[in-house]
Amino acid sequence: MHNILITGASRGLGLGLTRAYLARGARVYAVIRREPSDELLALSQGHAARLRLILCDLDDDQATAHIGEALQGTRLDRALFNAGIYGPAHQDPCQVSREEIAQLFLSNTIAPVRLAQTLLPSIGEDGILAFISSQMASVELARAQDMPLYGASKAALNSLLRSWSEVPDMSQVTLLALHPGWVRTELGGADAPLSVEDSVSGMIAVIEAEAGQPGCRFLDYQGQVLPW
Ligand SMILES: NC(=O)c1ccc[n+]([C@@H]2O[C@H](COP(=O)([O-])OP(=O)(O)OC[C@H]3O[C@@H](n4cnc5c(N)ncnc54)[C@H](OP(=O)(O)O)[C@@H]3O)[C@@H](O)[C@H]2O)c1
């Protein structure tokens, strides 16, 4: 049985990943920052033995210590850093406040990487650290003109992953930056073409196909390589 950590598990893609990994027989450690949503509560009632909820705001200074304590040395096979935010609706570098920009880069860039770096000793052989990034992160594709602050926060996430992957100790570790597609969630909006279920089943197939292949790659939910 695989042990999977999933952040941002109360709704959207995180809830979909939690549901899908439970259906595959995994044991899921689901990180949520407030009391569980009704959907997550229903899942936890149906899978009491295999779903453990960890209440934690990932932006908190104590988040990594808190999650480490909750895991109690559990070996993780997959750690999925999914929690993220859009940032201010205006997405304007000239209007953004210090607090807004700090919040965006803390949540999307720093919090997932520092949690991953803290958890690395708990990742088992053939384990995978997967970060839900975005195609908006690609500097080369330049698709973030309508959401430049969000795109910059995900580009910075990808940059940290690439820097980390070059550290000598990391040569046997699998790091994935994943684009889930444009998905109908609160963040993606109602006009998005993809359902959570289709995005999640694609991402899980991509993640599982990468097991045992060390390196740092930027892939979409269909397994296509994206340019950094
Ligand atoms: N939807 C898309 O089209 C799309 C496209 C590309 C990339 N992505 C990325 O995919 C990931 C999931 O997005 P989504 O569409 O599922 O978004 P969503 O429906 O807005 O869900 C975001 C989740 O992240 C959690 N979260 C945010 N900040 C957190 C924090 N500080 N601590 C703990 N949890 C936190 C939220 O918790 P609460 O419920 O407590 O707020 C929520 O569960 C994000 O990283 C997003 O950038 C999404």
mmCIF file of all heavy atoms in Angstrom, residues 7-14 31-34 56-59 81-85 103 107-108 132-135 150 154 178-189 192, ligand 1:
data_model
loop_
_atom_site.group_PDB
_atom_site.id
_atom_site.type_symbol
_atom_site.label_atom_id
_atom_site.label_comp_id
_atom_site.label_asym_id
_atom_site.label_seq_id
_atom_site.Cartn_x
_atom_site.Cartn_y
_atom_site.Cartn_z
ATOM 1 N N THR A 7 -1.416 18.074 -0.159
ATOM 2 C CA THR A 7 -1.770 19.353 0.476
ATOM 3 C C THR A 7 -2.934 20.004 -0.270
ATOM 4 O O THR A 7 -3.126 19.781 -1.465
ATOM 5 C CB THR A 7 -0.570 20.322 0.517
ATOM 6 O OG1 THR A 7 -0.280 20.778 -0.808
ATOM 7 C CG2 THR A 7 0.662 19.681 1.123
ATOM 8 N N GLY A 8 -3.698 20.805 0.459
ATOM 9 C CA GLY A 8 -4.858 21.476 -0.153
ATOM 10 C C GLY A 8 -5.934 20.484 -0.525
ATOM 11 O O GLY A 8 -6.509 20.556 -1.608
ATOM 12 N N ALA A 9 -6.217 19.556 0.398
ATOM 13 C CA ALA A 9 -7.052 18.396 0.060
ATOM 14 C C ALA A 9 -8.549 18.628 0.264
ATOM 15 O O ALA A 9 -9.338 17.737 -0.002
ATOM 16 C CB ALA A 9 -6.607 17.200 0.907
ATOM 17 N N SER A 10 -8.953 19.806 0.708
ATOM 18 C CA SER A 10 -10.371 19.956 1.063
ATOM 19 C C SER A 10 -11.266 20.205 -0.137
ATOM 20 O O SER A 10 -12.470 19.976 -0.078
ATOM 21 C CB SER A 10 -10.542 21.082 2.082
ATOM 22 O OG SER A 10 -10.065 22.277 1.523
ATOM 23 N N ARG A 11 -10.681 20.687 -1.247
ATOM 24 C CA ARG A 11 -11.539 20.976 -2.426
ATOM 25 C C ARG A 11 -10.690 20.947 -3.685
ATOM 26 O O ARG A 11 -9.462 20.779 -3.622
ATOM 27 C CB ARG A 11 -12.252 22.321 -2.265
ATOM 28 C CG ARG A 11 -11.310 23.502 -2.082
ATOM 29 C CD ARG A 11 -12.114 24.744 -1.693
ATOM 30 N NE ARG A 11 -11.246 25.831 -1.269
ATOM 31 C CZ ARG A 11 -10.769 26.776 -2.085
ATOM 32 N NH1 ARG A 11 -11.075 26.767 -3.364
ATOM 33 N NH2 ARG A 11 -9.997 27.730 -1.607
ATOM 34 N N GLY A 12 -11.360 21.126 -4.847
ATOM 35 C CA GLY A 12 -10.651 21.248 -6.117
ATOM 36 C C GLY A 12 -9.783 20.026 -6.429
ATOM 37 O O GLY A 12 -10.154 18.880 -6.162
ATOM 38 N N LEU A 13 -8.623 20.281 -6.999
ATOM 39 C CA LEU A 13 -7.746 19.191 -7.434
ATOM 40 C C LEU A 13 -7.240 18.355 -6.270
ATOM 41 O O LEU A 13 -7.075 17.134 -6.396
ATOM 42 C CB LEU A 13 -6.559 19.767 -8.215
ATOM 43 C CG LEU A 13 -6.930 20.322 -9.594
ATOM 44 C CD1 LEU A 13 -5.806 21.187 -10.167
ATOM 45 C CD2 LEU A 13 -7.245 19.171 -10.550
ATOM 46 N N GLY A 14 -6.997 18.990 -5.120
ATOM 47 C CA GLY A 14 -6.499 18.247 -3.963
ATOM 48 C C GLY A 14 -7.520 17.224 -3.475
ATOM 49 O O GLY A 14 -7.166 16.082 -3.143
ATOM 50 N N VAL A 31 -3.568 17.219 3.952
ATOM 51 C CA VAL A 31 -3.334 18.460 4.699
ATOM 52 C C VAL A 31 -4.410 19.475 4.316
ATOM 53 O O VAL A 31 -4.597 19.784 3.133
ATOM 54 C CB VAL A 31 -1.932 19.033 4.403
ATOM 55 C CG1 VAL A 31 -1.715 20.336 5.189
ATOM 56 C CG2 VAL A 31 -0.850 18.013 4.741
ATOM 57 N N ILE A 32 -5.120 19.981 5.341
ATOM 58 C CA ILE A 32 -6.172 20.988 5.125
ATOM 59 C C ILE A 32 -5.945 22.104 6.142
ATOM 60 O O ILE A 32 -5.371 21.871 7.202
ATOM 61 C CB ILE A 32 -7.576 20.375 5.311
ATOM 62 C CG1 ILE A 32 -7.670 19.646 6.671
ATOM 63 C CG2 ILE A 32 -7.885 19.402 4.181
ATOM 64 C CD1 ILE A 32 -9.066 19.128 6.978
ATOM 65 N N ARG A 33 -6.388 23.315 5.811
ATOM 66 C CA ARG A 33 -6.072 24.398 6.749
ATOM 67 C C ARG A 33 -7.249 24.813 7.615
ATOM 68 O O ARG A 33 -7.103 25.687 8.460
ATOM 69 C CB ARG A 33 -5.486 25.592 6.032
ATOM 70 C CG ARG A 33 -6.443 26.309 5.130
ATOM 71 C CD ARG A 33 -5.811 27.568 4.579
ATOM 72 N NE ARG A 33 -6.449 27.935 3.341
ATOM 73 C CZ ARG A 33 -6.114 28.970 2.630
ATOM 74 N NH1 ARG A 33 -5.129 29.743 3.046
ATOM 75 N NH2 ARG A 33 -6.729 29.246 1.495
ATOM 76 N N ARG A 34 -8.428 24.266 7.335
ATOM 77 C CA ARG A 34 -9.578 24.537 8.219
ATOM 78 C C ARG A 34 -10.392 23.253 8.329
ATOM 79 O O ARG A 34 -10.042 22.257 7.704
ATOM 80 C CB ARG A 34 -10.428 25.698 7.725
ATOM 81 C CG ARG A 34 -10.598 25.773 6.234
ATOM 82 C CD ARG A 34 -11.339 27.032 5.805
ATOM 83 N NE ARG A 34 -10.759 27.625 4.608
ATOM 84 C CZ ARG A 34 -10.236 28.821 4.542
ATOM 85 N NH1 ARG A 34 -10.187 29.587 5.613
ATOM 86 N NH2 ARG A 34 -9.733 29.280 3.417
ATOM 87 N N CYS A 56 -3.542 22.180 9.070
ATOM 88 C CA CYS A 56 -2.336 23.022 9.086
ATOM 89 C C CYS A 56 -2.416 24.065 7.977
ATOM 90 O O CYS A 56 -2.661 23.726 6.816
ATOM 91 C CB CYS A 56 -1.120 22.126 8.864
ATOM 92 S SG CYS A 56 0.434 23.002 8.874
ATOM 93 N N ASP A 57 -2.176 25.326 8.322
ATOM 94 C CA ASP A 57 -2.011 26.362 7.307
ATOM 95 C C ASP A 57 -0.547 26.332 6.875
ATOM 96 O O ASP A 57 0.350 26.556 7.688
ATOM 97 C CB ASP A 57 -2.382 27.736 7.893
ATOM 98 C CG ASP A 57 -2.357 28.823 6.828
ATOM 99 O OD1 ASP A 57 -1.546 28.725 5.879
ATOM 100 O OD2 ASP A 57 -3.152 29.775 6.947
ATOM 101 N N LEU A 58 -0.328 26.046 5.611
ATOM 102 C CA LEU A 58 1.052 25.843 5.121
ATOM 103 C C LEU A 58 1.873 27.123 5.154
ATOM 104 O O LEU A 58 3.104 27.068 5.049
ATOM 105 C CB LEU A 58 1.010 25.271 3.705
ATOM 106 C CG LEU A 58 0.370 23.884 3.640
ATOM 107 C CD1 LEU A 58 0.033 23.514 2.203
ATOM 108 C CD2 LEU A 58 1.284 22.844 4.249
ATOM 109 N N ASP A 59 1.221 28.265 5.294
ATOM 110 C CA ASP A 59 1.961 29.527 5.372
ATOM 111 C C ASP A 59 2.528 29.768 6.772
ATOM 112 O O ASP A 59 3.381 30.642 6.956
ATOM 113 C CB ASP A 59 1.046 30.709 5.003
ATOM 114 C CG ASP A 59 0.623 30.662 3.549
ATOM 115 O OD1 ASP A 59 1.247 29.931 2.769
ATOM 116 O OD2 ASP A 59 -0.351 31.373 3.204
ATOM 117 N N PHE A 81 2.342 18.373 -3.650
ATOM 118 C CA PHE A 81 2.241 19.741 -3.148
ATOM 119 C C PHE A 81 1.283 20.485 -4.072
ATOM 120 O O PHE A 81 1.681 21.001 -5.121
ATOM 121 C CB PHE A 81 3.641 20.360 -3.071
ATOM 122 C CG PHE A 81 4.548 19.536 -2.214
ATOM 123 C CD1 PHE A 81 5.353 18.545 -2.777
ATOM 124 C CD2 PHE A 81 4.541 19.688 -0.836
ATOM 125 C CE1 PHE A 81 6.146 17.740 -1.982
ATOM 126 C CE2 PHE A 81 5.336 18.890 -0.030
ATOM 127 C CZ PHE A 81 6.138 17.907 -0.600
ATOM 128 N N ASN A 82 0.025 20.470 -3.672
ATOM 129 C CA ASN A 82 -1.055 20.949 -4.541
ATOM 130 C C ASN A 82 -1.610 22.298 -4.105
ATOM 131 O O ASN A 82 -2.053 23.073 -4.962
ATOM 132 C CB ASN A 82 -2.172 19.881 -4.532
ATOM 133 C CG ASN A 82 -3.493 20.431 -4.987
ATOM 134 O OD1 ASN A 82 -3.731 20.604 -6.185
ATOM 135 N ND2 ASN A 82 -4.375 20.754 -4.033
ATOM 136 N N ALA A 83 -1.583 22.612 -2.811
ATOM 137 C CA ALA A 83 -2.213 23.844 -2.319
ATOM 138 C C ALA A 83 -1.640 25.051 -3.050
ATOM 139 O O ALA A 83 -0.434 25.153 -3.265
ATOM 140 C CB ALA A 83 -1.990 23.984 -0.816
ATOM 141 N N GLY A 84 -2.512 25.957 -3.436
ATOM 142 C CA GLY A 84 -2.047 27.168 -4.110
ATOM 143 C C GLY A 84 -3.161 28.189 -4.180
ATOM 144 O O GLY A 84 -4.328 27.879 -3.922
ATOM 145 N N ILE A 85 -2.785 29.420 -4.493
ATOM 146 C CA ILE A 85 -3.766 30.508 -4.598
ATOM 147 C C ILE A 85 -3.525 31.286 -5.890
ATOM 148 O O ILE A 85 -2.446 31.189 -6.505
ATOM 149 C CB ILE A 85 -3.692 31.459 -3.375
ATOM 150 C CG1 ILE A 85 -2.287 32.079 -3.234
ATOM 151 C CG2 ILE A 85 -4.084 30.740 -2.107
ATOM 152 C CD1 ILE A 85 -2.208 33.170 -2.161
ATOM 153 N N GLN A 103 2.047 37.216 0.290
ATOM 154 C CA GLN A 103 1.141 36.064 0.472
ATOM 155 C C GLN A 103 1.216 35.121 -0.731
ATOM 156 O O GLN A 103 1.301 33.900 -0.601
ATOM 157 C CB GLN A 103 -0.288 36.607 0.621
ATOM 158 C CG GLN A 103 -1.371 35.575 0.599
ATOM 159 C CD GLN A 103 -1.472 34.853 1.914
ATOM 160 O OE1 GLN A 103 -1.776 35.484 2.909
ATOM 161 N NE2 GLN A 103 -1.201 33.573 1.935
ATOM 162 N N SER A 107 2.678 31.347 -0.421
ATOM 163 C CA SER A 107 1.795 30.183 -0.600
ATOM 164 C C SER A 107 2.193 29.328 -1.801
ATOM 165 O O SER A 107 2.170 28.100 -1.727
ATOM 166 C CB SER A 107 0.344 30.640 -0.786
ATOM 167 O OG SER A 107 -0.115 31.316 0.351
ATOM 168 N N ASN A 108 2.502 29.956 -2.919
ATOM 169 C CA ASN A 108 2.721 29.196 -4.165
ATOM 170 C C ASN A 108 4.162 28.758 -4.365
ATOM 171 O O ASN A 108 4.406 27.816 -5.127
ATOM 172 C CB ASN A 108 2.304 30.043 -5.380
ATOM 173 C CG ASN A 108 0.796 30.135 -5.527
ATOM 174 O OD1 ASN A 108 0.061 29.629 -4.692
ATOM 175 N ND2 ASN A 108 0.335 30.784 -6.571
ATOM 176 N N ILE A 132 2.131 20.847 -7.956
ATOM 177 C CA ILE A 132 1.176 21.319 -8.961
ATOM 178 C C ILE A 132 1.589 22.750 -9.320
ATOM 179 O O ILE A 132 1.398 23.699 -8.559
ATOM 180 C CB ILE A 132 -0.280 21.258 -8.472
ATOM 181 C CG1 ILE A 132 -0.596 19.866 -7.886
ATOM 182 C CG2 ILE A 132 -1.209 21.562 -9.648
ATOM 183 C CD1 ILE A 132 -0.338 18.680 -8.782
ATOM 184 N N SER A 133 2.182 22.838 -10.476
ATOM 185 C CA SER A 133 2.661 24.105 -11.008
ATOM 186 C C SER A 133 1.598 24.611 -11.986
ATOM 187 O O SER A 133 0.391 24.539 -11.707
ATOM 188 C CB SER A 133 4.021 23.863 -11.669
ATOM 189 O OG SER A 133 4.534 25.036 -12.217
ATOM 190 N N SER A 134 2.000 25.081 -13.130
ATOM 191 C CA SER A 134 1.058 25.562 -14.156
ATOM 192 C C SER A 134 1.840 25.810 -15.428
ATOM 193 O O SER A 134 3.035 26.127 -15.375
ATOM 194 C CB SER A 134 0.416 26.869 -13.682
ATOM 195 O OG SER A 134 -0.263 27.485 -14.757
ATOM 196 N N GLN A 135 1.148 25.705 -16.556
ATOM 197 C CA GLN A 135 1.833 26.082 -17.799
ATOM 198 C C GLN A 135 2.169 27.584 -17.792
ATOM 199 O O GLN A 135 3.059 28.029 -18.505
ATOM 200 C CB GLN A 135 0.984 25.742 -19.020
ATOM 201 C CG GLN A 135 -0.302 26.529 -19.126
ATOM 202 C CD GLN A 135 -1.039 26.291 -20.437
ATOM 203 O OE1 GLN A 135 -0.547 25.604 -21.308
ATOM 204 N NE2 GLN A 135 -2.217 26.862 -20.560
ATOM 205 N N TYR A 150 0.427 35.538 -10.781
ATOM 206 C CA TYR A 150 0.269 34.100 -10.533
ATOM 207 C C TYR A 150 1.330 33.332 -11.326
ATOM 208 O O TYR A 150 2.013 32.450 -10.790
ATOM 209 C CB TYR A 150 -1.139 33.685 -10.967
ATOM 210 C CG TYR A 150 -1.416 32.203 -10.936
ATOM 211 C CD1 TYR A 150 -1.718 31.556 -9.745
ATOM 212 C CD2 TYR A 150 -1.366 31.449 -12.108
ATOM 213 C CE1 TYR A 150 -1.973 30.193 -9.728
ATOM 214 C CE2 TYR A 150 -1.628 30.092 -12.096
ATOM 215 C CZ TYR A 150 -1.926 29.471 -10.907
ATOM 216 O OH TYR A 150 -2.174 28.116 -10.883
ATOM 217 N N LYS A 154 4.485 30.815 -9.953
ATOM 218 C CA LYS A 154 4.699 29.417 -10.358
ATOM 219 C C LYS A 154 6.031 29.268 -11.093
ATOM 220 O O LYS A 154 6.695 28.226 -10.997
ATOM 221 C CB LYS A 154 3.537 28.936 -11.236
ATOM 222 C CG LYS A 154 2.195 28.859 -10.514
ATOM 223 C CD LYS A 154 2.145 27.724 -9.499
ATOM 224 C CE LYS A 154 0.733 27.516 -8.964
ATOM 225 N NZ LYS A 154 0.649 26.385 -8.027
ATOM 226 N N LEU A 178 4.043 19.823 -12.292
ATOM 227 C CA LEU A 178 2.936 19.329 -13.136
ATOM 228 C C LEU A 178 1.964 20.447 -13.502
ATOM 229 O O LEU A 178 1.532 21.215 -12.627
ATOM 230 C CB LEU A 178 2.152 18.244 -12.386
ATOM 231 C CG LEU A 178 2.884 16.934 -12.091
ATOM 232 C CD1 LEU A 178 1.971 16.022 -11.267
ATOM 233 C CD2 LEU A 178 3.301 16.246 -13.383
ATOM 234 N N HIS A 179 1.598 20.499 -14.769
ATOM 235 C CA HIS A 179 0.499 21.369 -15.197
ATOM 236 C C HIS A 179 -0.764 20.504 -15.269
ATOM 237 O O HIS A 179 -0.799 19.544 -16.054
ATOM 238 C CB HIS A 179 0.811 21.987 -16.567
ATOM 239 C CG HIS A 179 -0.366 22.684 -17.167
ATOM 240 N ND1 HIS A 179 -1.068 23.672 -16.498
ATOM 241 C CD2 HIS A 179 -1.006 22.525 -18.361
ATOM 242 C CE1 HIS A 179 -2.073 24.088 -17.260
ATOM 243 N NE2 HIS A 179 -2.055 23.414 -18.390
ATOM 244 N N PRO A 180 -1.786 20.834 -14.459
ATOM 245 C CA PRO A 180 -2.973 19.957 -14.415
ATOM 246 C C PRO A 180 -3.941 20.173 -15.569
ATOM 247 O O PRO A 180 -4.963 19.494 -15.627
ATOM 248 C CB PRO A 180 -3.630 20.376 -13.089
ATOM 249 C CG PRO A 180 -3.243 21.805 -12.905
ATOM 250 C CD PRO A 180 -1.867 21.960 -13.504
ATOM 251 N N GLY A 181 -3.636 21.070 -16.501
ATOM 252 C CA GLY A 181 -4.629 21.509 -17.482
ATOM 253 C C GLY A 181 -5.410 22.672 -16.886
ATOM 254 O O GLY A 181 -5.158 23.086 -15.743
ATOM 255 N N TRP A 182 -6.349 23.201 -17.660
ATOM 256 C CA TRP A 182 -7.222 24.258 -17.140
ATOM 257 C C TRP A 182 -8.481 23.564 -16.643
ATOM 258 O O TRP A 182 -9.248 22.990 -17.425
ATOM 259 C CB TRP A 182 -7.511 25.277 -18.251
ATOM 260 C CG TRP A 182 -8.396 26.408 -17.805
ATOM 261 C CD1 TRP A 182 -8.624 26.835 -16.525
ATOM 262 C CD2 TRP A 182 -9.188 27.255 -18.646
ATOM 263 N NE1 TRP A 182 -9.505 27.889 -16.520
ATOM 264 C CE2 TRP A 182 -9.864 28.172 -17.803
ATOM 265 C CE3 TRP A 182 -9.389 27.333 -20.025
ATOM 266 C CZ2 TRP A 182 -10.724 29.143 -18.299
ATOM 267 C CZ3 TRP A 182 -10.260 28.303 -20.526
ATOM 268 C CH2 TRP A 182 -10.898 29.199 -19.667
ATOM 269 N N VAL A 183 -8.674 23.606 -15.338
ATOM 270 C CA VAL A 183 -9.624 22.701 -14.683
ATOM 271 C C VAL A 183 -10.731 23.486 -13.967
ATOM 272 O O VAL A 183 -10.457 24.508 -13.323
ATOM 273 C CB VAL A 183 -8.886 21.816 -13.652
ATOM 274 C CG1 VAL A 183 -9.817 20.715 -13.136
ATOM 275 C CG2 VAL A 183 -7.628 21.221 -14.244
ATOM 276 N N ARG A 184 -11.967 22.943 -14.029
ATOM 277 C CA ARG A 184 -13.114 23.579 -13.364
ATOM 278 C C ARG A 184 -13.032 23.385 -11.849
ATOM 279 O O ARG A 184 -13.440 22.354 -11.310
ATOM 280 C CB ARG A 184 -14.435 22.977 -13.870
ATOM 281 C CG ARG A 184 -14.815 23.426 -15.264
ATOM 282 C CD ARG A 184 -16.218 22.964 -15.644
ATOM 283 N NE ARG A 184 -16.350 21.522 -15.701
ATOM 284 C CZ ARG A 184 -15.990 20.751 -16.723
ATOM 285 N NH1 ARG A 184 -15.450 21.294 -17.799
ATOM 286 N NH2 ARG A 184 -16.155 19.445 -16.683
ATOM 287 N N THR A 185 -12.416 24.389 -11.197
ATOM 288 C CA THR A 185 -12.353 24.447 -9.731
ATOM 289 C C THR A 185 -12.647 25.904 -9.376
ATOM 290 O O THR A 185 -12.828 26.739 -10.274
ATOM 291 C CB THR A 185 -10.942 24.101 -9.219
ATOM 292 O OG1 THR A 185 -10.038 25.093 -9.711
ATOM 293 C CG2 THR A 185 -10.485 22.719 -9.661
ATOM 294 N N GLU A 186 -12.598 26.204 -8.089
ATOM 295 C CA GLU A 186 -12.789 27.612 -7.711
ATOM 296 C C GLU A 186 -11.705 28.476 -8.343
ATOM 297 O O GLU A 186 -11.970 29.570 -8.836
ATOM 298 C CB GLU A 186 -12.747 27.722 -6.190
ATOM 299 C CG GLU A 186 -13.487 28.937 -5.697
ATOM 300 C CD GLU A 186 -13.738 28.860 -4.202
ATOM 301 O OE1 GLU A 186 -14.232 27.821 -3.713
ATOM 302 O OE2 GLU A 186 -13.433 29.863 -3.531
ATOM 303 N N LEU A 187 -10.471 27.971 -8.372
ATOM 304 C CA LEU A 187 -9.370 28.747 -8.954
ATOM 305 C C LEU A 187 -9.464 28.781 -10.478
ATOM 306 O O LEU A 187 -9.263 29.816 -11.105
ATOM 307 C CB LEU A 187 -8.027 28.147 -8.502
ATOM 308 C CG LEU A 187 -6.766 28.940 -8.798
ATOM 309 C CD1 LEU A 187 -5.718 28.698 -7.719
ATOM 310 C CD2 LEU A 187 -6.187 28.629 -10.163
ATOM 311 N N GLY A 188 -9.790 27.669 -11.090
ATOM 312 C CA GLY A 188 -9.827 27.586 -12.558
ATOM 313 C C GLY A 188 -11.059 28.241 -13.163
ATOM 314 O O GLY A 188 -11.025 28.685 -14.315
ATOM 315 N N GLY A 189 -12.166 28.308 -12.400
ATOM 316 C CA GLY A 189 -13.392 28.935 -12.893
ATOM 317 C C GLY A 189 -14.286 27.954 -13.629
ATOM 318 O O GLY A 189 -13.863 26.858 -14.027
ATOM 319 N N ALA A 192 -13.607 26.567 -17.472
ATOM 320 C CA ALA A 192 -12.471 25.686 -17.800
ATOM 321 C C ALA A 192 -12.979 24.421 -18.491
ATOM 322 O O ALA A 192 -14.039 23.898 -18.148
ATOM 323 C CB ALA A 192 -11.713 25.330 -16.522
HETATM 324 N N1 LIG B 1 -7.651 24.869 -11.676
HETATM 325 C C1 LIG B 1 -6.784 25.108 -12.661
HETATM 326 O O1 LIG B 1 -7.159 25.317 -13.828
HETATM 327 C C2 LIG B 1 -5.302 25.102 -12.358
HETATM 328 C C3 LIG B 1 -4.431 25.274 -13.444
HETATM 329 C C4 LIG B 1 -3.055 25.248 -13.218
HETATM 330 C C5 LIG B 1 -2.583 25.064 -11.927
HETATM 331 N N2 LIG B 1 -3.449 24.922 -10.879
HETATM 332 C C6 LIG B 1 -2.879 24.709 -9.533
HETATM 333 O O2 LIG B 1 -3.455 23.549 -8.971
HETATM 334 C C7 LIG B 1 -3.452 23.637 -7.537
HETATM 335 C C8 LIG B 1 -4.855 23.347 -7.014
HETATM 336 O O3 LIG B 1 -5.727 24.322 -7.571
HETATM 337 P P1 LIG B 1 -7.330 24.201 -7.563
HETATM 338 O O4 LIG B 1 -7.762 24.636 -8.902
HETATM 339 O O5 LIG B 1 -7.752 22.898 -7.008
HETATM 340 O O6 LIG B 1 -7.640 25.402 -6.541
HETATM 341 P P2 LIG B 1 -8.764 25.595 -5.414
HETATM 342 O O7 LIG B 1 -9.992 24.861 -5.774
HETATM 343 O O8 LIG B 1 -8.796 27.060 -5.190
HETATM 344 O O9 LIG B 1 -8.107 24.850 -4.135
HETATM 345 C C9 LIG B 1 -6.923 25.315 -3.568
HETATM 346 C C10 LIG B 1 -6.637 24.500 -2.324
HETATM 347 O O10 LIG B 1 -5.394 24.973 -1.741
HETATM 348 C C11 LIG B 1 -5.611 25.162 -0.350
HETATM 349 N N3 LIG B 1 -4.696 26.160 0.207
HETATM 350 C C12 LIG B 1 -4.390 27.373 -0.305
HETATM 351 N N4 LIG B 1 -3.526 28.005 0.502
HETATM 352 C C13 LIG B 1 -3.268 27.167 1.539
HETATM 353 C C14 LIG B 1 -2.474 27.255 2.700
HETATM 354 N N5 LIG B 1 -1.768 28.350 2.995
HETATM 355 N N6 LIG B 1 -2.431 26.202 3.550
HETATM 356 C C15 LIG B 1 -3.161 25.086 3.292
HETATM 357 N N7 LIG B 1 -3.948 24.948 2.205
HETATM 358 C C16 LIG B 1 -4.004 25.977 1.345
HETATM 359 C C17 LIG B 1 -7.077 25.601 -0.255
HETATM 360 O O11 LIG B 1 -7.532 25.447 1.070
HETATM 361 P P3 LIG B 1 -8.907 26.181 1.575
HETATM 362 O O12 LIG B 1 -10.032 25.311 1.086
HETATM 363 O O13 LIG B 1 -8.749 26.172 3.047
HETATM 364 O O14 LIG B 1 -8.927 27.567 0.984
HETATM 365 C C18 LIG B 1 -7.708 24.643 -1.254
HETATM 366 O O15 LIG B 1 -7.922 23.379 -0.660
HETATM 367 C C19 LIG B 1 -2.969 25.070 -7.212
HETATM 368 O O16 LIG B 1 -1.601 25.023 -6.890
HETATM 369 C C20 LIG B 1 -3.186 25.807 -8.525
HETATM 370 O O17 LIG B 1 -2.313 26.915 -8.671
HETATM 371 C C21 LIG B 1 -4.801 24.929 -11.068
#
